[in-house]
Amino acid sequence: SWATNLRAALQAEEHVSDATGATALKIQHDAIYGEIEAREETFRYLNELSDSMVQTGHYAATEVEEKCSALLDERAKLHSAYNKKKILLEQKIDLFCFMRDAKVIDNLSSGQEAALSSSDFGQTVEVVQDQVKKHDAFEKLIQTQDEKVAILQDHGRKLVEQNHYDSENIRRRLREIVDRRQKIKELCALRRQKLQHALLYAQFIRDCAEAGAWINEKQKKLEADATSFADVSNMEDKVKKLQKHQAFQAEVAANEGRIREVKQKGEMLIKKRHECAAEIEDEVRKLSESWNVLLNEVASRGRGLEEAQDILEFDSQLDKLEAWIRDKEMMVHASDTGRDLEHCNALKRKLDDVDSDMRVDDQRIKTINVLADKLLTQDKAPNEAKNVQQRRNNFNNKWKSLQGALNKYRELLDGAYEIHVFNRDVDDTAERISEKQLAMSVDDTGRDLNAVEALKRKQDAMKL
């Protein structure tokens, strides 16, 4: 009766909703095992008594044996019911723990999906960059949570392999968790891409505005300089204006890469089909138009200063040529033929500009005279034309007078070079004679045959 009632209690269905309740039932169930174990001595005693009665031929042996067999069968059923209930409760605990961990990951996923679905990327470069940093940290968090998912998958697989009573539900939940985490990773990659586009767009808007403001500033500067340029009449002031304009041109040229980079960013956004592609295209067009207008105005202003450019080039070239002539005149007047062969050779190289970037020939002289002719044909003040003609004449006269002096000095150096070569050869020969005389003045005739043969070979070598 006790075994039957206890087995019925063990087979009764227990309703629990969480791991805590299942654990409490498991503790109660483990206590029942102690009660069963306490009855084992009674079962053994009755079984032994039955065996004894059968062996002694008791008149009720058959009835006793039947009842003992029924008792042992009930005992076996009780143990079976206990073990089944134990496995069921353990599986319930495992299931509740699995579901609890799955719910934790689900809750994390819900919050992360909400964060990733946000379309607020910021408008300024600084704000978007801050969003990128936050997303970097977010991605690292996702990676660290992959370990939790892996542990849950391992737990779920083990439960299924152990033939858990709710294996189908466990497999379904695993698929849901894994699919959801994969979706989060895809959303994460998509948000990173959108953040990159947002950063590029913010940079484009900022750089485009800065470039546009810079171009407007330079255009206003050109307009302001136009008035003062119109009042310039003499060449000296024009040259100053030219030098100022050349510095302005250099500044504009230095910013060409900056403008090109802004346009490339805009074109990249258009190519990526940014949602504001139409506005971006319009901004790129406006920037290109403003830049081209500035370039045309700079070029036009430069053409207006072409006359000053020519006179500046003429003066610059003449300054270099006159410096070259002065250097050659100093060499001619010094008439230095060199201390020795090496010094003489260095003078010859300097005279012929071998190691110098400044090479003067008839073509260069012709070029400077052509430039002078161009300046003289332009409309300019009489005193300016007179200065150009006077500088040209003075230079040509110096050039012509220098040619004869250069040729004479070159001949002088060539002659000195031959003398230096002769002196070097004489010195080398005298030195060799001295060496041989010293070697022949030694009285050593050798101590043995080998030493005599060595001295003889040395003597023969001196004759060569």
Side-chain angles (χ1 to χ4, degrees):
S1 177
W2 169 83
T4 303
N5 291 337
L6 184 56
R7 181 163 63 86
L10 289 172
Q11 290 176 338
E13 187 175 355
E14 302 282 0
H15 295 285
V16 289
S17 58
D18 53 29
T20 303
T23 303
L25 286 176
K26 177 69 167 51
I27 293 171
Q28 293 176 10
H29 187 70
D30 291 340
I32 291 174
Y33 184 74
E35 185 180 349
I36 294 173
E37 282 295 306
R39 301 279 182 147
E40 281 300 303
E41 187 63 33
T42 303
F43 279 111
R44 277 194 299 273
Y45 170 73
L46 291 173
N47 186 40
E48 290 174 358
L49 182 60
S50 173
D51 289 343
S52 175
M53 292 175 71
V54 171
Q55 289 174 3
T56 57
H58 193 281
Y59 73 93
T62 303
E63 182 182 357
V64 169
E65 187 176 18
E66 288 177 358
K67 286 186 176 182
C68 185
S69 177
L71 180 64
L72 292 176
D73 184 55
E74 185 63 34
R75 174 180 172 274
K77 289 180 180 178
L78 177 62
H79 276 279
S80 176
Y82 174 82
N83 289 329
K84 285 182 181 178
K85 184 71 173 284
K86 179 184 178 183
I87 292 171
L88 177 65
L89 288 173
E90 288 174 345
Q91 288 189 345
K92 279 185 177 294
I93 292 172
D94 286 337
L95 178 63
F96 285 130
C97 289
F98 172 82
M99 291 299 181
R100 178 197 62 200
D101 295 342
K103 187 176 181 181
V104 170
I105 294 175
D106 256 347
N107 291 338
L108 287 173
S109 299
S110 297
Q112 290 165 354
E113 284 173 347
L116 289 169
S117 63
S118 172
S119 59
D120 181 18
F121 305 113
Q123 300 297 323
T124 66
V125 174
E126 293 73 17
V127 173
V128 179
Q129 285 176 337
D130 186 56
Q131 291 279 2
V132 170
K133 289 179 182 178
K134 288 180 180 178
H135 190 71
D136 290 339
F138 187 86
E139 284 184 332
K140 290 179 181 178
L141 178 63
I142 295 292
Q143 290 174 357
T144 58
Q145 290 171 351
D146 283 345
E147 185 178 350
K148 291 184 179 180
V149 178
I151 292 172
L152 183 70
Q153 285 180 290
D154 186 57
H155 188 192
R157 278 194 297 267
K158 286 180 179 178
L159 293 178
V160 172
E161 289 170 359
Q162 293 168 2
N163 296 318
H164 193 282
Y165 73 88
D166 205 8
S167 292
E168 186 58 36
N169 189 32
I170 292 171
R171 279 193 287 262
R172 179 183 60 80
R173 285 294 288 140
L174 278 177
R175 285 195 300 270
E176 290 174 353
I177 293 293
V178 171
D179 290 346
R180 196 170 188 186
R181 296 309 296 178
Q182 182 60 35
K183 180 183 176 183
I184 286 174
K185 289 181 179 179
E186 291 171 359
L187 288 173
C188 208
L190 181 61
R191 181 168 177 81
R192 172 164 289 282
Q193 185 182 37
K194 289 182 177 180
L195 279 170
Q196 289 172 345
H197 291 177
L199 180 60
L200 188 63
Y201 178 67
Q203 289 172 338
F204 169 77
I205 294 299
R206 178 198 63 188
D207 296 347
C208 194
E210 290 177 355
W214 181 84
I215 290 173
N216 289 335
E217 179 188 343
K218 298 308 165 187
Q219 285 176 334
K220 289 178 181 178
K221 182 174 176 56
L222 277 176
E223 292 171 2
D225 289 344
T227 305
S228 60
F229 176 74
D231 299 334
V232 176
S233 58
N234 65 72
M235 185 55 62
E236 184 179 354
D237 290 341
K238 284 186 178 180
V239 169
K240 289 180 181 179
K241 280 289 181 182
L242 173 64
Q243 291 171 333
K244 185 178 179 181
H245 184 71
Q246 286 176 334
F248 186 87
Q249 278 182 310
E251 183 183 1
V252 171
N255 280 271
E256 183 179 1
R258 170 190 174 190
I259 303 299
R260 183 171 58 250
E261 185 178 341
V262 175
K263 291 165 65 177
Q264 286 174 346
K265 284 180 182 176
E267 290 164 0
M268 188 181 298
L269 286 166
I270 295 169
K271 188 177 180 181
K272 291 178 181 292
R273 297 181 179 179
H274 192 276
E275 58 184 10
C276 300
E279 298 174 15
I280 294 169
E281 190 172 2
D282 188 52
E283 290 296 328
V284 170
R285 179 185 56 77
K286 289 178 181 177
L287 181 65
S288 296
E289 289 176 355
S290 299
W291 175 247
N292 290 331
V293 167
L294 178 63
L295 290 179
N296 290 335
E297 289 181 1
V298 169
S300 176
R301 184 65 53 81
R303 285 191 294 271
L305 292 167
E306 184 178 353
E307 180 183 345
Q309 173 69 52
D310 290 339
I311 192 64
L312 191 63
E313 178 69 16
F314 176 76
D315 289 339
S316 174
Q317 290 297 326
L318 267 187
D319 288 343
K320 292 179 182 178
L321 290 170
E322 288 172 349
W324 181 88
I325 288 175
R326 285 193 298 272
D327 183 57
K328 298 308 181 215
E329 286 176 342
M330 288 176 63
M331 291 186 70
V332 170
H333 291 157
S335 297
D336 189 359
T337 55
R339 297 181 301 274
D340 49 30
L341 179 61
E342 184 179 353
H343 186 203
C344 182
N345 193 41
L347 290 171
K348 284 168 63 67
R349 292 175 67 86
K350 183 178 180 182
L351 185 66
D352 295 332
D353 298 313
V354 174
D355 302 317
S356 172
D357 295 333
M358 185 67 180
R359 302 295 296 272
V360 179
D361 53 20
D362 290 340
Q363 181 59 42
R364 189 157 189 170
I365 304 305
K366 181 180 179 181
T367 300
I368 198 69
N369 277 284
V370 168
L371 184 57
D373 290 337
K374 180 181 178 182
L375 289 170
L376 291 172
T377 57
Q378 294 172 351
D379 293 332
K380 51 172 57 68
N383 60 329
E384 293 173 355
K386 182 180 179 181
N387 288 337
V388 171
Q389 183 64 52
Q390 185 175 358
R391 283 206 70 183
R392 199 247 305 255
N393 292 340
N394 290 340
F395 168 74
N396 285 333
N397 291 334
K398 287 181 180 179
W399 170 255
K400 289 176 183 178
S401 64
L402 180 63
Q403 297 308 299
L406 280 177
N407 290 333
K408 289 180 181 179
Y409 181 52
R410 188 174 284 107
E411 290 174 0
L412 180 64
L413 277 177
D414 289 341
Y417 183 80
E418 292 178 2
I419 293 173
H420 285 306
V421 170
F422 174 77
N423 290 336
R424 180 199 62 187
D425 294 343
V426 169
D427 291 341
D428 289 346
T429 303
E431 185 178 353
R432 291 182 63 192
I433 291 172
S434 297
E435 290 176 355
K436 290 184 177 183
Q437 283 178 339
L438 180 62
M440 292 176 67
S441 65
V442 178
D443 295 332
D444 186 11
T445 55
R447 295 187 302 272
D448 51 32
L449 179 60
N450 290 334
V452 171
E453 288 178 347
L455 288 170
K456 189 173 183 303
R457 286 193 296 272
K458 188 175 180 181
Q459 183 71 20
D460 292 338
M462 289 183 183
K463 296 177 181 180
L464 298 177

